[in-house]
Amino acid sequence: FIKKFKNLNGINVKLTAPEVVVRLTEEAIWEASADVRAAASVRAERDALLLEVDVISSNPLRWAELDAPTQALWATYRVELLDVPQQTGFPQTVVWPTKVGE
């Protein structure tokens, strides 16, 4: 669906042929970049989750309070978060790992 008119000061004006070409090009670029935008969004969500993990894993006092099996769970969770972009179907389909304790 191509918008055939533009609004100039409240008046609908028909697009010229060059304007239609520009509009079609813009729409094609937008569609072509859908996966790039989706991947950036998923990575941003993943990075926020990694920050939560890093608050625990990079703090020696907090980390020392955890027993070895719990440390292993956190380490596995962190690796699974890092591997999210390698999942089949990424970025349209993402299976988030289960956070430790949930």
Side-chain angles (χ1 to χ4, degrees), residues 1 7 26 30 32 35 37-38 42-43 48 53 56 81 84 94:
F1 172 71
N7 189 301
E26 290 171 344
W30 179 258
D35 280 349
R37 291 189 315 277
V42 170
R43 282 189 175 97
V53 174
I56 295 167
L81 286 173
V84 163
V94 175

Side-chain angles (χ1 to χ4, degrees), residues 18-92:
E19 289 173 325
V20 169
V21 170
V22 167
R23 181 68 182 149
L24 289 172
T25 302
E26 290 171 344
E27 288 181 5
I29 290 169
W30 179 258
E31 285 299 318
S33 67
D35 280 349
V36 172
R37 291 189 315 277
S41 176
V42 170
R43 282 189 175 97
E45 187 173 349
R46 188 259 334 246
D47 292 349
L49 293 171
L50 283 169
L51 285 175
E52 292 177 14
V53 174
D54 290 346
V55 166
I56 295 167
S57 65
S58 65
N59 182 319
L61 295 176
R62 284 188 179 191
W63 192 250
E65 291 174 350
L66 302 174
D67 59 19
T70 305
Q71 288 178 348
L73 289 173
W74 278 107
T76 299
Y77 175 63
R78 189 174 195 286
V79 169
E80 289 172 347
L81 286 173
L82 290 171
D83 290 344
V84 163
Q86 284 72 47
Q87 291 180 4
T88 301
F90 177 86
Q92 303 304 328

